[in-house]
Amino acid sequence: MRKYSIFAAGILFLAVASAGCAQKKQSQIEADQTRPAEKWLEIESVRLLRDYVRIDTTAEPGEEEGAKFLRNIFDCAGIETEILCPAPKRCNLLARLPGRTRKGTLLLLNHIDVAPAPPQVWHEALPFEGKIRAGYLWGRGAYDMKSLGLAEALAMRNLKRHGIVPASDILFVGEADEEIGQKWGMRWLLENHPGRFEGVANALNEGGNPEVILRNVRFFGIETVQAGFAIGEFAASSPAPLEDLARRWSELKSPVVEPLPQVRLAFDLMANHLVSPLTDPLRHLDRVRLNPAELAVLPDRYRSFLEARIFWWKPGPYPLESKTNFATFAAISVPPGLDPMTLLQPILADATSAGVRVTRAFSGGVALASPYPTPFTEMIRRVTEAHFPGVPFGPAPTSGGYTTSALLRQKGTPTYGYSSIPMNITDTARRHGPDERIYLRDYLTGVRVYEDLLEELALPPRN
């Protein structure tokens, strides 16, 4: 009988041990992915993001409702706001948190408008549904850039709620028309209301996205310079003329330049986290720029800082259901200091002579760099490293697109692309494509980082 009891006790112990394994505490990732939407929405910042994403702020409806949404956040906190609309429904929101002086103002820049989002190409969620599933929130603007805009707004509100008076003013600008026309946003504000920006010493905007592999942040970049950018959009009644145009201009003739010191520093940092064949050439740019074979190995996102590059989108029907209108675009990226319009202009002329319609042409002008490092960027580095210890931090040049940072740099304002929200590389391509989404845990982290950033900024200067 006793022998049986010992045997039974052993079986009971194994059963309890097995049950303990089965009830092992979930990892943070597992908990996030199984958390119901209603639980996520108990968090105010998530609820605000869902509601903001649900507002269609593409070009046709405009930004007015998005501006009103943001205004409500500031108004409820007692922060002065102003909505400026240069055209019907095309609206900018300005909010100012006064500091001890206006000199040294920090401009927090974001855009309210979002890229086009044709619902017929979205598969996992509708573009303005704000769907939450498996730890993600889907929707156009979920990452670019309503999440970062909210992080900026909530960080300002945090200072106000705690009665913290910053050393200098903090000016929040949610701009219009950044994604498509660049006509009714900061460009218009600077031309028509320059007094609003007196005293601005530094600006923070989107860009410099931190890279995440799986759930590990590999490096944290701050954008100090962009490649010069120009775009031409073309249309024809069939794809053939557009394809012929792209073939004639598949390569651009331009000099190979010496890279900026910031580009060298950035590429060396990135080389530590990239596999061969990129590691060696990024570390030896002087050798690479003299060797066409090695230069050709570099993807355009790096190569465009050494010589001009052009990308053509495959012609397709536009709108999608059209049988008689086809469209394409050419995006030109050039090293800082070169004018991309000089390379776009002959393509526009060739298109016109070939009977191809030019539907849009835009140039961001000559790209300039913001100084780095500076006391301001060092403050950003300290706060970032406190949240992501051991993760390399440094400059991260961007190419293949345009943000208002380029305009501000041309106006003489040091402007830095900084995202406090890590982004998995598998989600990067979704930003302007179908099924854009953001991992909510990363969004919440980004909100906290931005709060700490502004609190650090609000402190009096250290001796």
Side-chain angles (χ1 to χ4, degrees):
M1 188 70 178
R2 181 174 176 80
K3 184 177 182 181
Y4 174 81
S5 299
I6 295 174
F7 177 78
I11 294 296
L12 179 61
F13 173 82
L14 291 174
V16 170
S18 298
C21 291
Q23 296 173 5
K24 181 181 177 181
K25 185 178 180 181
Q26 287 181 308
S27 69
Q28 185 67 68
I29 295 174
E30 292 170 332
D32 289 342
Q33 292 178 341
T34 57
R35 190 176 195 171
E38 57 268 24
K39 289 295 185 181
W40 280 111
L41 292 171
E42 292 176 358
I43 304 171
E44 184 206 23
S45 55
V46 172
R47 192 165 60 251
L48 287 171
L49 179 59
R50 189 277 310 268
D51 293 346
Y52 193 18
V53 166
R54 283 182 167 181
I55 302 172
D56 182 351
T57 53
T58 53
E60 188 171 342
E63 303 85 4
E64 185 174 15
E65 293 305 314
K68 291 178 179 177
F69 175 86
L70 292 172
R71 180 179 64 184
N72 186 61
I73 295 174
F74 290 113
D75 285 353
C76 290
I79 297 174
E80 176 186 350
T81 61
E82 181 179 23
I83 292 180
L84 298 173
C85 304
K89 305 294 184 181
R90 308 311 303 267
C91 298
N92 303 277
L93 174 82
L94 283 68
R96 183 181 295 272
L97 182 63
R100 290 185 287 276
T101 177
R102 193 161 182 173
K103 184 179 179 181
T105 293
L106 171 64
L107 170 61
L108 300 180
L109 181 61
N110 61 92
H111 58 84
I112 300 173
D113 68 316
V114 295
Q120 55 267 49
V121 298
W122 285 57
H123 305 293
E124 299 175 51
L126 294 174
F128 301 105
E129 181 182 2
K131 180 180 179 180
I132 295 176
R133 181 174 61 83
Y136 282 91
L137 187 148
W138 272 262
R140 175 60 83 228
Y143 192 90
D144 186 14
M145 69 170 297
K146 291 184 173 180
S147 53
L148 187 57
L150 278 176
E152 293 176 355
L154 295 176
M156 278 182 64
R157 188 186 70 173
N158 177 64
L159 293 184
K160 180 69 173 180
R161 282 184 168 179
H162 288 86
I164 300 174
V165 178
S168 302
D169 286 9
I170 299 176
L171 175 62
F172 174 102
V173 174
E175 69 167 323
D177 197 28
E178 191 273 350
E179 291 286 10
I180 301 297
Q182 291 88 33
K183 181 179 181 181
W184 303 122
M186 277 299 298
R187 194 176 300 274
W188 180 85
L189 288 169
L190 290 169
E191 290 174 357
N192 293 275
H193 299 278
R196 305 293 198 282
F197 302 95
E198 289 180 3
V200 170
N202 291 286
L204 286 178
N205 192 18
E206 63 182 336
N209 296 319
E211 182 176 290
V212 179
I213 307 293
L214 297 178
R215 299 304 320 141
N216 297 316
V217 180
R218 301 292 293 273
F219 64 86
F220 232 97
I222 181 169
E223 184 212 273
T224 60
V225 65
Q226 300 174 9
F229 179 77
I231 187 169
E233 298 181 3
F234 309 93
S237 57
S238 70
L242 302 175
E243 292 168 348
D244 290 342
L245 182 67
R247 274 193 292 269
R248 290 196 298 274
W249 296 95
S250 61
E251 294 288 339
L252 299 173
K253 293 182 179 179
S254 76
V256 179
V257 305
E258 182 171 344
L260 295 177
Q262 293 174 16
V263 172
R264 291 180 181 275
L265 178 61
F267 286 4
D268 189 64
L269 171 68
M270 294 175 183
N272 295 328
H273 307 282
L274 296 171
V275 297
S276 181
L278 296 181
T279 300
D280 183 71
L282 287 179
R283 286 177 175 157
H284 300 92
L285 295 180
D286 285 330
R287 183 193 74 207
V288 168
R289 67 190 185 92
L290 299 177
N291 186 333
E294 282 199 286
L295 189 60
V297 171
L298 292 180
D300 285 355
R301 64 183 180 274
Y302 306 116
R303 190 173 170 184
S304 58
F305 287 93
L306 301 174
E307 65 173 351
R309 303 299 298 155
I310 186 168
F311 168 82
W312 286 91
W313 185 262
K314 183 179 179 181
Y318 184 80
L320 289 174
E321 62 274 9
S322 176
K323 303 294 184 182
T324 59
N325 189 69
F326 293 80
T328 187
F329 70 82
I332 294 174
S333 297
V334 302
L338 301 183
D339 185 354
M341 196 62 189
T342 61
L343 296 172
L344 178 61
Q345 200 64 55
I347 302 175
L348 301 177
D350 184 26
T352 301
S353 65
V356 171
R357 300 191 307 277
V358 178
T359 57
R360 177 177 174 245
F362 170 81
S363 172
V366 177
L368 303 176
S370 295
Y372 181 90
T374 69
F376 179 67
T377 64
E378 285 299 285
M379 182 270 293
I380 296 173
R381 179 189 59 79
R382 290 195 304 272
V383 173
T384 303
E385 290 181 347
H387 284 268
F388 301 94
V391 175
F393 179 98
T398 59
S399 67
Y402 176 87
T403 73
T404 315
S405 297
L407 172 65
L408 288 170
R409 290 175 186 133
Q410 291 165 349
K411 299 291 186 181
T413 300
T415 304
Y416 301 93
Y418 175 78
S419 175
S420 60
I421 306 170
M423 188 177 195
N424 195 297
I425 59 171
T426 59
D427 294 326
T428 300
R430 297 173 180 247
R431 281 183 290 184
H432 283 183
D435 301 316
E436 180 181 352
R437 66 184 188 178
I438 187 168
Y439 194 62
L440 287 171
R441 180 62 53 186
D442 290 341
Y443 165 62
L444 294 176
T445 297
V447 171
R448 290 195 298 272
V449 173
Y450 233 104
E451 288 179 346
D452 288 352
L453 192 67
L454 291 199
E455 286 185 13
E456 180 75 6
L457 179 77
L459 297 174
R462 295 171 180 172
N463 294 327

